[in-house]
mmCIF file of all heavy atoms in Angstrom:
data_model
loop_
_atom_site.group_PDB
_atom_site.id
_atom_site.type_symbol
_atom_site.label_atom_id
_atom_site.label_comp_id
_atom_site.label_asym_id
_atom_site.label_seq_id
_atom_site.Cartn_x
_atom_site.Cartn_y
_atom_site.Cartn_z
ATOM 1 N N THR A 522 -53.832 -42.210 -86.228
ATOM 2 C CA THR A 522 -54.413 -42.505 -85.071
ATOM 3 C C THR A 522 -53.342 -42.397 -83.888
ATOM 4 O O THR A 522 -52.131 -42.469 -84.271
ATOM 5 C CB THR A 522 -55.063 -43.859 -84.882
ATOM 6 O OG1 THR A 522 -54.134 -44.880 -85.114
ATOM 7 C CG2 THR A 522 -56.198 -43.942 -85.960
ATOM 8 N N ALA A 523 -53.730 -42.434 -82.577
ATOM 9 C CA ALA A 523 -52.714 -42.516 -81.641
ATOM 10 C C ALA A 523 -53.438 -43.236 -80.374
ATOM 11 O O ALA A 523 -54.554 -43.139 -80.208
ATOM 12 C CB ALA A 523 -52.258 -41.064 -81.126
ATOM 13 N N ARG A 524 -52.557 -43.993 -79.620
ATOM 14 C CA ARG A 524 -53.001 -44.759 -78.378
ATOM 15 C C ARG A 524 -52.919 -43.812 -77.283
ATOM 16 O O ARG A 524 -51.708 -43.793 -76.634
ATOM 17 C CB ARG A 524 -52.275 -46.031 -78.302
ATOM 18 C CG ARG A 524 -52.557 -46.806 -76.966
ATOM 19 C CD ARG A 524 -52.119 -48.168 -77.086
ATOM 20 N NE ARG A 524 -50.714 -48.368 -77.432
ATOM 21 C CZ ARG A 524 -49.713 -48.274 -76.663
ATOM 22 N NH1 ARG A 524 -49.965 -48.208 -75.226
ATOM 23 N NH2 ARG A 524 -48.444 -48.376 -77.044
ATOM 24 N N VAL A 525 -53.937 -43.054 -76.854
ATOM 25 C CA VAL A 525 -53.768 -41.879 -75.993
ATOM 26 C C VAL A 525 -53.961 -42.283 -74.545
ATOM 27 O O VAL A 525 -54.779 -43.213 -74.124
ATOM 28 C CB VAL A 525 -54.845 -40.834 -76.349
ATOM 29 C CG1 VAL A 525 -54.954 -39.689 -75.355
ATOM 30 C CG2 VAL A 525 -54.557 -40.351 -77.774
ATOM 31 N N GLN A 526 -53.147 -41.667 -73.560
ATOM 32 C CA GLN A 526 -53.322 -41.734 -72.242
ATOM 33 C C GLN A 526 -53.717 -40.251 -71.745
ATOM 34 O O GLN A 526 -52.994 -39.339 -72.136
ATOM 35 C CB GLN A 526 -52.127 -42.158 -71.449
ATOM 36 C CG GLN A 526 -52.327 -42.096 -69.892
ATOM 37 C CD GLN A 526 -50.966 -42.196 -69.147
ATOM 38 O OE1 GLN A 526 -49.947 -42.176 -69.708
ATOM 39 N NE2 GLN A 526 -51.149 -42.129 -67.885
ATOM 40 N N THR A 527 -54.976 -40.075 -71.195
ATOM 41 C CA THR A 527 -55.113 -38.757 -70.733
ATOM 42 C C THR A 527 -54.859 -38.649 -69.261
ATOM 43 O O THR A 527 -55.093 -39.649 -68.455
ATOM 44 C CB THR A 527 -56.731 -38.529 -70.818
ATOM 45 O OG1 THR A 527 -57.545 -39.534 -70.141
ATOM 46 C CG2 THR A 527 -57.196 -38.413 -72.230
ATOM 47 N N VAL A 528 -54.214 -37.614 -68.803
ATOM 48 C CA VAL A 528 -53.649 -37.551 -67.461
ATOM 49 C C VAL A 528 -54.420 -36.455 -66.708
ATOM 50 O O VAL A 528 -54.438 -35.309 -67.180
ATOM 51 C CB VAL A 528 -52.088 -37.275 -67.501
ATOM 52 C CG1 VAL A 528 -51.543 -37.211 -66.074
ATOM 53 C CG2 VAL A 528 -51.511 -38.379 -68.289
ATOM 54 N N THR A 529 -54.725 -36.732 -65.554
ATOM 55 C CA THR A 529 -55.478 -35.661 -64.481
ATOM 56 C C THR A 529 -54.644 -35.569 -63.265
ATOM 57 O O THR A 529 -53.792 -36.310 -62.929
ATOM 58 C CB THR A 529 -56.747 -36.263 -64.031
ATOM 59 O OG1 THR A 529 -56.581 -37.415 -63.370
ATOM 60 C CG2 THR A 529 -57.648 -36.585 -65.209
ATOM 61 N N ALA A 530 -54.891 -34.304 -62.754
ATOM 62 C CA ALA A 530 -54.039 -33.914 -61.502
ATOM 63 C C ALA A 530 -54.456 -34.793 -60.418
ATOM 64 O O ALA A 530 -53.679 -35.126 -59.421
ATOM 65 C CB ALA A 530 -54.385 -32.497 -61.128
ATOM 66 N N ASP A 531 -55.732 -35.316 -60.372
ATOM 67 C CA ASP A 531 -56.146 -36.216 -59.270
ATOM 68 C C ASP A 531 -55.453 -37.707 -59.556
ATOM 69 O O ASP A 531 -55.185 -38.304 -58.564
ATOM 70 C CB ASP A 531 -57.617 -36.385 -59.271
ATOM 71 C CG ASP A 531 -58.327 -35.114 -58.812
ATOM 72 O OD1 ASP A 531 -57.689 -34.387 -58.042
ATOM 73 O OD2 ASP A 531 -59.506 -34.902 -59.034
ATOM 74 N N GLY A 532 -55.503 -38.014 -60.675
ATOM 75 C CA GLY A 532 -55.044 -39.449 -61.061
ATOM 76 C C GLY A 532 -53.519 -39.603 -60.873
ATOM 77 O O GLY A 532 -53.125 -40.722 -60.290
ATOM 78 N N ASN A 533 -52.743 -38.699 -61.336
ATOM 79 C CA ASN A 533 -51.288 -38.784 -61.313
ATOM 80 C C ASN A 533 -50.737 -37.385 -61.146
ATOM 81 O O ASN A 533 -50.426 -36.753 -62.205
ATOM 82 C CB ASN A 533 -50.659 -39.522 -62.338
ATOM 83 C CG ASN A 533 -49.245 -39.894 -62.229
ATOM 84 O OD1 ASN A 533 -48.492 -39.107 -61.525
ATOM 85 N ND2 ASN A 533 -48.896 -41.020 -62.696
ATOM 86 N N PRO A 534 -50.723 -36.851 -59.919
ATOM 87 C CA PRO A 534 -50.416 -35.429 -59.714
ATOM 88 C C PRO A 534 -48.988 -34.993 -60.268
ATOM 89 O O PRO A 534 -48.760 -33.910 -60.905
ATOM 90 C CB PRO A 534 -50.571 -34.992 -58.343
ATOM 91 C CG PRO A 534 -50.563 -36.425 -57.618
ATOM 92 C CD PRO A 534 -51.075 -37.325 -58.602
ATOM 93 N N ARG A 535 -48.013 -35.948 -60.118
ATOM 94 C CA ARG A 535 -46.658 -35.631 -60.522
ATOM 95 C C ARG A 535 -46.512 -35.643 -61.985
ATOM 96 O O ARG A 535 -45.899 -34.762 -62.559
ATOM 97 C CB ARG A 535 -45.706 -36.572 -59.843
ATOM 98 C CG ARG A 535 -45.555 -36.223 -58.305
ATOM 99 C CD ARG A 535 -44.634 -37.327 -57.648
ATOM 100 N NE ARG A 535 -43.288 -37.127 -57.988
ATOM 101 C CZ ARG A 535 -42.469 -36.303 -57.327
ATOM 102 N NH1 ARG A 535 -42.927 -35.459 -56.333
ATOM 103 N NH2 ARG A 535 -41.118 -36.123 -57.689
ATOM 104 N N PHE A 536 -47.112 -36.598 -62.678
ATOM 105 C CA PHE A 536 -47.031 -36.690 -64.220
ATOM 106 C C PHE A 536 -47.807 -35.499 -64.696
ATOM 107 O O PHE A 536 -47.269 -34.859 -65.723
ATOM 108 C CB PHE A 536 -47.672 -38.041 -64.639
ATOM 109 C CG PHE A 536 -47.206 -38.354 -65.972
ATOM 110 C CD1 PHE A 536 -46.127 -37.879 -66.702
ATOM 111 C CD2 PHE A 536 -48.153 -39.332 -66.689
ATOM 112 C CE1 PHE A 536 -45.797 -38.278 -67.951
ATOM 113 C CE2 PHE A 536 -47.773 -39.634 -68.010
ATOM 114 C CZ PHE A 536 -46.614 -39.150 -68.642
ATOM 115 N N HIS A 537 -48.948 -35.170 -64.136
ATOM 116 C CA HIS A 537 -49.681 -33.988 -64.595
ATOM 117 C C HIS A 537 -48.909 -32.699 -64.480
ATOM 118 O O HIS A 537 -48.915 -31.837 -65.387
ATOM 119 C CB HIS A 537 -50.981 -33.903 -63.891
ATOM 120 C CG HIS A 537 -51.975 -32.900 -64.305
ATOM 121 N ND1 HIS A 537 -51.876 -31.534 -64.011
ATOM 122 C CD2 HIS A 537 -53.063 -32.956 -65.113
ATOM 123 C CE1 HIS A 537 -52.839 -30.703 -64.527
ATOM 124 N NE2 HIS A 537 -53.590 -31.698 -65.282
ATOM 125 N N ALA A 538 -48.123 -32.586 -63.324
ATOM 126 C CA ALA A 538 -47.363 -31.409 -63.155
ATOM 127 C C ALA A 538 -46.207 -31.300 -64.194
ATOM 128 O O ALA A 538 -45.880 -30.256 -64.731
ATOM 129 C CB ALA A 538 -46.754 -31.451 -61.696
ATOM 130 N N LEU A 539 -45.655 -32.500 -64.560
ATOM 131 C CA LEU A 539 -44.530 -32.433 -65.547
ATOM 132 C C LEU A 539 -45.042 -32.053 -66.899
ATOM 133 O O LEU A 539 -44.567 -31.321 -67.657
ATOM 134 C CB LEU A 539 -43.901 -33.811 -65.679
ATOM 135 C CG LEU A 539 -42.878 -33.928 -66.796
ATOM 136 C CD1 LEU A 539 -41.672 -33.002 -66.497
ATOM 137 C CD2 LEU A 539 -42.309 -35.428 -66.732
ATOM 138 N N LEU A 540 -46.291 -32.703 -67.290
ATOM 139 C CA LEU A 540 -46.934 -32.335 -68.512
ATOM 140 C C LEU A 540 -47.336 -30.753 -68.630
ATOM 141 O O LEU A 540 -47.217 -30.100 -69.573
ATOM 142 C CB LEU A 540 -48.204 -33.077 -68.737
ATOM 143 C CG LEU A 540 -47.967 -34.503 -69.187
ATOM 144 C CD1 LEU A 540 -49.224 -35.419 -68.881
ATOM 145 C CD2 LEU A 540 -47.675 -34.721 -70.639
ATOM 146 N N SER A 541 -47.718 -30.232 -67.440
ATOM 147 C CA SER A 541 -48.138 -28.823 -67.346
ATOM 148 C C SER A 541 -46.804 -27.976 -67.602
ATOM 149 O O SER A 541 -46.808 -26.968 -68.225
ATOM 150 C CB SER A 541 -48.764 -28.461 -66.018
ATOM 151 O OG SER A 541 -49.973 -29.244 -65.942
ATOM 152 N N ALA A 542 -45.818 -28.373 -67.010
ATOM 153 C CA ALA A 542 -44.565 -27.644 -67.089
ATOM 154 C C ALA A 542 -43.934 -27.723 -68.532
ATOM 155 O O ALA A 542 -43.547 -26.747 -69.223
ATOM 156 C CB ALA A 542 -43.368 -28.245 -66.180
ATOM 157 N N PHE A 543 -44.230 -28.782 -69.207
ATOM 158 C CA PHE A 543 -43.809 -28.995 -70.644
ATOM 159 C C PHE A 543 -44.783 -28.109 -71.562
ATOM 160 O O PHE A 543 -44.154 -27.566 -72.526
ATOM 161 C CB PHE A 543 -43.817 -30.442 -71.010
ATOM 162 C CG PHE A 543 -43.160 -30.744 -72.305
ATOM 163 C CD1 PHE A 543 -41.876 -30.767 -72.535
ATOM 164 C CD2 PHE A 543 -44.036 -31.116 -73.439
ATOM 165 C CE1 PHE A 543 -41.231 -31.060 -73.741
ATOM 166 C CE2 PHE A 543 -43.533 -31.398 -74.650
ATOM 167 C CZ PHE A 543 -42.089 -31.352 -74.786
ATOM 168 N N LYS A 544 -45.738 -27.941 -71.172
ATOM 169 C CA LYS A 544 -46.846 -27.200 -72.013
ATOM 170 C C LYS A 544 -46.386 -25.659 -71.888
ATOM 171 O O LYS A 544 -46.460 -24.938 -72.890
ATOM 172 C CB LYS A 544 -48.246 -27.353 -71.465
ATOM 173 C CG LYS A 544 -49.230 -26.392 -72.153
ATOM 174 C CD LYS A 544 -50.635 -26.582 -71.541
ATOM 175 C CE LYS A 544 -51.615 -25.530 -72.213
ATOM 176 N NZ LYS A 544 -53.111 -25.650 -71.636
ATOM 177 N N THR A 545 -45.999 -25.211 -70.681
ATOM 178 C CA THR A 545 -45.507 -23.958 -70.487
ATOM 179 C C THR A 545 -44.295 -23.563 -71.410
ATOM 180 O O THR A 545 -44.231 -22.436 -71.962
ATOM 181 C CB THR A 545 -45.074 -23.705 -69.074
ATOM 182 O OG1 THR A 545 -46.227 -23.930 -68.103
ATOM 183 C CG2 THR A 545 -44.546 -22.325 -68.726
ATOM 184 N N LEU A 546 -43.428 -24.616 -71.582
ATOM 185 C CA LEU A 546 -42.256 -24.322 -72.558
ATOM 186 C C LEU A 546 -42.598 -24.447 -73.906
ATOM 187 O O LEU A 546 -41.985 -23.760 -74.728
ATOM 188 C CB LEU A 546 -41.168 -25.318 -72.070
ATOM 189 C CG LEU A 546 -40.479 -25.187 -70.781
ATOM 190 C CD1 LEU A 546 -39.529 -26.304 -70.579
ATOM 191 C CD2 LEU A 546 -39.706 -23.741 -70.787
ATOM 192 N N THR A 547 -43.432 -25.422 -74.268
ATOM 193 C CA THR A 547 -43.644 -25.800 -75.689
ATOM 194 C C THR A 547 -44.998 -25.420 -76.253
ATOM 195 O O THR A 547 -45.111 -25.440 -77.575
ATOM 196 C CB THR A 547 -43.447 -27.320 -75.865
ATOM 197 O OG1 THR A 547 -44.468 -27.948 -75.177
ATOM 198 C CG2 THR A 547 -42.021 -27.612 -75.443
ATOM 199 N N GLY A 548 -45.928 -25.177 -75.473
ATOM 200 C CA GLY A 548 -47.350 -24.892 -76.051
ATOM 201 C C GLY A 548 -48.164 -26.203 -76.171
ATOM 202 O O GLY A 548 -49.374 -26.143 -76.358
ATOM 203 N N HIS A 549 -47.566 -27.342 -75.907
ATOM 204 C CA HIS A 549 -48.364 -28.678 -76.040
ATOM 205 C C HIS A 549 -48.022 -29.458 -74.792
ATOM 206 O O HIS A 549 -46.913 -29.813 -74.451
ATOM 207 C CB HIS A 549 -48.095 -29.356 -77.243
ATOM 208 C CG HIS A 549 -46.767 -29.691 -77.479
ATOM 209 N ND1 HIS A 549 -45.804 -28.929 -78.170
ATOM 210 C CD2 HIS A 549 -45.921 -30.887 -77.155
ATOM 211 C CE1 HIS A 549 -44.599 -29.599 -78.391
ATOM 212 N NE2 HIS A 549 -44.674 -30.775 -77.802
ATOM 213 N N GLY A 550 -49.025 -29.736 -74.019
ATOM 214 C CA GLY A 550 -48.963 -30.582 -72.860
ATOM 215 C C GLY A 550 -49.050 -32.058 -73.181
ATOM 216 O O GLY A 550 -49.916 -32.752 -72.797
ATOM 217 N N VAL A 551 -48.188 -32.466 -74.099
ATOM 218 C CA VAL A 551 -48.182 -33.881 -74.507
ATOM 219 C C VAL A 551 -46.815 -34.380 -74.683
ATOM 220 O O VAL A 551 -45.898 -33.701 -75.058
ATOM 221 C CB VAL A 551 -48.763 -33.817 -76.086
ATOM 222 C CG1 VAL A 551 -48.852 -35.376 -76.476
ATOM 223 C CG2 VAL A 551 -50.049 -33.263 -76.216
ATOM 224 N N LEU A 552 -46.669 -35.622 -74.079
ATOM 225 C CA LEU A 552 -45.384 -36.304 -74.096
ATOM 226 C C LEU A 552 -45.444 -37.664 -74.600
ATOM 227 O O LEU A 552 -46.490 -38.322 -74.525
ATOM 228 C CB LEU A 552 -44.740 -36.343 -72.761
ATOM 229 C CG LEU A 552 -44.283 -35.006 -72.088
ATOM 230 C CD1 LEU A 552 -43.954 -35.332 -70.519
ATOM 231 C CD2 LEU A 552 -43.000 -34.537 -72.717
ATOM 232 N N ILE A 553 -44.385 -38.159 -75.371
ATOM 233 C CA ILE A 553 -44.310 -39.627 -75.603
ATOM 234 C C ILE A 553 -44.290 -40.316 -74.349
ATOM 235 O O ILE A 553 -43.451 -39.992 -73.482
ATOM 236 C CB ILE A 553 -43.081 -39.902 -76.507
ATOM 237 C CG1 ILE A 553 -43.183 -39.276 -77.864
ATOM 238 C CG2 ILE A 553 -42.934 -41.445 -76.613
ATOM 239 C CD1 ILE A 553 -42.002 -39.394 -78.660
ATOM 240 N N ASN A 554 -45.012 -41.326 -74.215
ATOM 241 C CA ASN A 554 -44.903 -42.112 -72.871
ATOM 242 C C ASN A 554 -44.778 -43.608 -73.372
ATOM 243 O O ASN A 554 -45.825 -44.243 -73.780
ATOM 244 C CB ASN A 554 -46.152 -41.969 -71.945
ATOM 245 C CG ASN A 554 -46.197 -42.855 -70.782
ATOM 246 O OD1 ASN A 554 -45.045 -43.482 -70.450
ATOM 247 N ND2 ASN A 554 -47.275 -42.974 -70.190
ATOM 248 N N THR A 555 -43.662 -44.268 -73.138
ATOM 249 C CA THR A 555 -43.403 -45.560 -73.511
ATOM 250 C C THR A 555 -42.895 -46.313 -72.204
ATOM 251 O O THR A 555 -42.249 -45.668 -71.334
ATOM 252 C CB THR A 555 -42.549 -45.772 -74.716
ATOM 253 O OG1 THR A 555 -42.462 -47.169 -75.102
ATOM 254 C CG2 THR A 555 -41.067 -45.370 -74.376
ATOM 255 N N SER A 556 -43.042 -47.542 -72.196
ATOM 256 C CA SER A 556 -42.726 -48.366 -70.933
ATOM 257 C C SER A 556 -41.149 -48.310 -70.737
ATOM 258 O O SER A 556 -40.351 -48.418 -71.646
ATOM 259 C CB SER A 556 -43.198 -49.735 -71.060
ATOM 260 O OG SER A 556 -42.764 -50.359 -72.164
ATOM 261 N N PHE A 557 -40.764 -48.139 -69.428
ATOM 262 C CA PHE A 557 -39.362 -48.101 -69.024
ATOM 263 C C PHE A 557 -38.804 -49.583 -69.110
ATOM 264 O O PHE A 557 -38.716 -50.284 -68.109
ATOM 265 C CB PHE A 557 -39.384 -47.556 -67.696
ATOM 266 C CG PHE A 557 -37.991 -47.032 -67.277
ATOM 267 C CD1 PHE A 557 -37.815 -45.939 -66.345
ATOM 268 C CD2 PHE A 557 -36.819 -47.505 -67.746
ATOM 269 C CE1 PHE A 557 -36.630 -45.373 -66.026
ATOM 270 C CE2 PHE A 557 -35.537 -46.967 -67.393
ATOM 271 C CZ PHE A 557 -35.449 -45.966 -66.574
ATOM 272 N N ASN A 558 -38.405 -49.984 -70.317
ATOM 273 C CA ASN A 558 -37.855 -51.260 -70.466
ATOM 274 C C ASN A 558 -37.268 -51.287 -71.991
ATOM 275 O O ASN A 558 -37.428 -50.390 -72.691
ATOM 276 C CB ASN A 558 -38.726 -52.453 -70.242
ATOM 277 C CG ASN A 558 -39.934 -52.428 -71.330
ATOM 278 O OD1 ASN A 558 -40.384 -51.434 -71.599
ATOM 279 N ND2 ASN A 558 -40.140 -53.633 -71.877
ATOM 280 N N VAL A 559 -36.455 -52.267 -72.216
ATOM 281 C CA VAL A 559 -36.013 -52.627 -73.609
ATOM 282 C C VAL A 559 -36.768 -53.857 -74.036
ATOM 283 O O VAL A 559 -37.155 -54.689 -73.295
ATOM 284 C CB VAL A 559 -34.517 -52.516 -73.755
ATOM 285 C CG1 VAL A 559 -33.959 -51.240 -73.326
ATOM 286 C CG2 VAL A 559 -33.953 -53.690 -72.917
ATOM 287 N N ARG A 560 -36.619 -54.116 -75.387
ATOM 288 C CA ARG A 560 -37.193 -55.291 -75.980
ATOM 289 C C ARG A 560 -36.706 -56.584 -75.228
ATOM 290 O O ARG A 560 -35.522 -56.746 -75.024
ATOM 291 C CB ARG A 560 -36.802 -55.342 -77.325
ATOM 292 C CG ARG A 560 -37.366 -56.534 -78.152
ATOM 293 C CD ARG A 560 -36.782 -56.537 -79.593
ATOM 294 N NE ARG A 560 -37.290 -57.640 -80.391
ATOM 295 C CZ ARG A 560 -36.748 -58.026 -81.500
ATOM 296 N NH1 ARG A 560 -35.729 -57.358 -82.008
ATOM 297 N NH2 ARG A 560 -37.293 -59.005 -82.079
ATOM 298 N N GLY A 561 -37.628 -57.374 -74.843
ATOM 299 C CA GLY A 561 -37.362 -58.740 -74.233
ATOM 300 C C GLY A 561 -37.233 -58.617 -72.620
ATOM 301 O O GLY A 561 -36.974 -59.653 -72.039
ATOM 302 N N GLU A 562 -37.306 -57.447 -72.072
ATOM 303 C CA GLU A 562 -37.160 -57.251 -70.732
ATOM 304 C C GLU A 562 -38.524 -56.690 -70.160
ATOM 305 O O GLU A 562 -39.180 -55.877 -70.742
ATOM 306 C CB GLU A 562 -36.060 -56.175 -70.315
ATOM 307 C CG GLU A 562 -35.683 -56.042 -68.946
ATOM 308 C CD GLU A 562 -34.671 -55.063 -68.654
ATOM 309 O OE1 GLU A 562 -34.906 -53.892 -69.107
ATOM 310 O OE2 GLU A 562 -33.574 -55.351 -68.252
ATOM 311 N N PRO A 563 -38.856 -57.135 -68.891
ATOM 312 C CA PRO A 563 -40.043 -56.519 -68.342
ATOM 313 C C PRO A 563 -39.860 -55.066 -67.941
ATOM 314 O O PRO A 563 -38.660 -54.542 -67.957
ATOM 315 C CB PRO A 563 -40.204 -57.394 -67.006
ATOM 316 C CG PRO A 563 -39.375 -58.523 -67.200
ATOM 317 C CD PRO A 563 -38.296 -58.183 -68.101
ATOM 318 N N ILE A 564 -40.967 -54.336 -67.714
ATOM 319 C CA ILE A 564 -40.785 -52.962 -67.158
ATOM 320 C C ILE A 564 -40.073 -53.025 -65.773
ATOM 321 O O ILE A 564 -40.124 -53.883 -65.146
ATOM 322 C CB ILE A 564 -42.260 -52.494 -66.957
ATOM 323 C CG1 ILE A 564 -42.966 -52.292 -68.366
ATOM 324 C CG2 ILE A 564 -42.248 -50.946 -66.202
ATOM 325 C CD1 ILE A 564 -44.418 -51.903 -68.112
ATOM 326 N N VAL A 565 -39.229 -51.897 -65.664
ATOM 327 C CA VAL A 565 -38.388 -51.920 -64.426
ATOM 328 C C VAL A 565 -39.339 -51.803 -63.263
ATOM 329 O O VAL A 565 -40.375 -51.246 -63.231
ATOM 330 C CB VAL A 565 -37.480 -50.630 -64.467
ATOM 331 C CG1 VAL A 565 -36.514 -50.858 -65.744
ATOM 332 C CG2 VAL A 565 -38.226 -49.345 -64.597
ATOM 333 N N CYS A 566 -38.782 -52.354 -62.117
ATOM 334 C CA CYS A 566 -39.374 -52.320 -60.900
ATOM 335 C C CYS A 566 -38.658 -51.552 -59.847
ATOM 336 O O CYS A 566 -39.288 -50.606 -59.226
ATOM 337 C CB CYS A 566 -39.492 -53.812 -60.332
ATOM 338 S SG CYS A 566 -40.311 -53.951 -58.784
ATOM 339 N N THR A 567 -37.390 -51.764 -59.739
ATOM 340 C CA THR A 567 -36.637 -51.009 -58.718
ATOM 341 C C THR A 567 -35.761 -49.885 -59.325
ATOM 342 O O THR A 567 -35.636 -49.876 -60.526
ATOM 343 C CB THR A 567 -35.733 -52.023 -58.050
ATOM 344 O OG1 THR A 567 -34.643 -52.515 -58.807
ATOM 345 C CG2 THR A 567 -36.457 -53.236 -57.449
ATOM 346 N N ALA A 568 -35.170 -49.052 -58.357
ATOM 347 C CA ALA A 568 -34.318 -48.058 -58.841
ATOM 348 C C ALA A 568 -33.016 -48.703 -59.555
ATOM 349 O O ALA A 568 -32.390 -48.210 -60.450
ATOM 350 C CB ALA A 568 -33.812 -47.165 -57.729
ATOM 351 N N ALA A 569 -32.593 -49.966 -59.013
ATOM 352 C CA ALA A 569 -31.475 -50.566 -59.613
ATOM 353 C C ALA A 569 -31.788 -51.062 -61.015
ATOM 354 O O ALA A 569 -30.836 -50.893 -61.923
ATOM 355 C CB ALA A 569 -31.213 -51.813 -58.715
ATOM 356 N N ASP A 570 -33.035 -51.602 -61.247
ATOM 357 C CA ASP A 570 -33.357 -51.935 -62.546
ATOM 358 C C ASP A 570 -33.416 -50.676 -63.558
ATOM 359 O O ASP A 570 -32.852 -50.773 -64.673
ATOM 360 C CB ASP A 570 -34.767 -52.444 -62.478
ATOM 361 C CG ASP A 570 -34.989 -53.650 -61.768
ATOM 362 O OD1 ASP A 570 -34.033 -54.375 -61.647
ATOM 363 O OD2 ASP A 570 -36.151 -54.004 -61.268
ATOM 364 N N ALA A 571 -33.817 -49.594 -62.996
ATOM 365 C CA ALA A 571 -34.009 -48.351 -63.834
ATOM 366 C C ALA A 571 -32.512 -47.937 -64.136
ATOM 367 O O ALA A 571 -32.309 -47.470 -65.328
ATOM 368 C CB ALA A 571 -34.703 -47.346 -63.030
ATOM 369 N N TYR A 572 -31.669 -47.878 -63.216
ATOM 370 C CA TYR A 572 -30.232 -47.405 -63.492
ATOM 371 C C TYR A 572 -29.568 -48.335 -64.388
ATOM 372 O O TYR A 572 -28.950 -47.767 -65.409
ATOM 373 C CB TYR A 572 -29.535 -47.348 -62.133
ATOM 374 C CG TYR A 572 -28.059 -46.733 -62.319
ATOM 375 C CD1 TYR A 572 -27.976 -45.339 -62.659
ATOM 376 C CD2 TYR A 572 -26.957 -47.471 -62.161
ATOM 377 C CE1 TYR A 572 -26.770 -44.749 -62.683
ATOM 378 C CE2 TYR A 572 -25.700 -46.881 -62.299
ATOM 379 C CZ TYR A 572 -25.557 -45.469 -62.496
ATOM 380 O OH TYR A 572 -24.339 -44.981 -62.653
#
Side-chain angles (χ1 to χ4, degrees):
T522 65
R524 176 166 51 89
V525 170
Q526 177 196 2
T527 57
V528 181
T529 65
D531 289 340
N533 192 328
R535 292 176 72 80
F536 198 24
H537 188 275
L539 178 60
L540 284 160
S541 299
F543 191 70
K544 177 184 176 181
T545 299
L546 288 176
T547 65
H549 56 271
V551 188
L552 288 170
I553 295 172
N554 176 14
T555 187
S556 56
F557 199 149
N558 66 314
V559 295
R560 182 184 178 192
E562 182 184 64
I564 294 173
V565 299
C566 175
T567 66
D570 298 333
Y572 186 67

